[in-house]
Amino acid sequence: MEDCVFCKIIAGQIPSDIVYHDKTVIAFKDIHPVTQVHLLIVPREHIAYLTDLTEKQSTLVGHMILVANELARQTGIAEKGFRVVINVGSEGGQMVPHLHLHLLGGRRLSEKMG
Ligand code: AMP
Ligand code: ZN
């Protein structure tokens, strides 16, 4: 996708702080972190919204969660706890229309979900 900021990061066209990559996903530091650890786990394939996922792509989301677990261990937040978030659409707070999972941790997070 030409105008997609995450596709540009994946293509190496704009810089980012990549912390993990494999065949299907990459992970990089959020440019405006809201917690001490704030990583984005992003499929290489451009899928705009979670609601666009097909049955075939459902294993991808499981893989994204496993990568989040691994990165939580690597960044030292796994033991105390962390949060994973997927925002969907405008009312869900999704600013970048390329599916991504936020990994948040490093301090006690707000109990408020909405
Ligand atoms: P969302 O609101 O769920 O779509 O989250 C998009 C996230 O992407 C926000 O937390 C932004 O700070 C982050 N973001 C936007 N552009 C970049 C970028 N170039 N590099 C890293 N993170 C970015
Ligand atoms: Zn994209």
Side-chain angles (χ1 to χ4, degrees):
M1 280 289 284
E2 265 173 36
D3 280 337
C4 173
V5 62
F6 288 175
C7 281
K8 285 184 179 161
I9 287 175
I10 290 159
Q13 289 164 358
I14 59 173
S16 67
D17 206 337
I18 294 173
V19 296
Y20 174 88
H21 64 93
D22 64 25
K23 251 172 63 185
T24 53
V25 305
I26 72 164
F28 49 88
K29 292 185 181 172
D30 195 293
I31 204 165
H32 298 302
V34 297
T35 50
Q36 283 80 349
V37 175
H38 187 174
L39 302 177
L40 300 174
I41 294 135
V42 183
R44 289 183 184 275
E45 183 180 359
H46 181 90
I47 299 163
Y49 301 100
L50 187 71
T51 43
D52 293 331
L53 263 193
T54 63
E55 188 70 34
K56 254 184 156 179
Q57 293 163 327
S58 60
T59 53
L60 181 61
V61 177
H63 180 59
M64 288 163 70
I65 299 274
L66 290 178
V67 170
N69 276 343
E70 179 55 28
L71 292 174
R73 282 190 283 270
Q74 281 180 21
T75 54
I77 60 171
E79 207 149 295
K80 283 191 173 171
F82 58 91
R83 187 169 288 165
V84 293
V85 174
I86 297 177
N87 295 325
V88 186
S90 60
E91 290 209 352
Q94 185 176 0
M95 307 285 281
V96 177
H98 180 134
L99 176 65
H100 54 281
L101 185 149
H102 295 255
L103 171 64
L104 302 161
R107 64 167 166 80
R108 177 165 290 277
L109 299 170
S110 160
E111 284 165 21
K112 279 195 176 173
M113 286 293 288

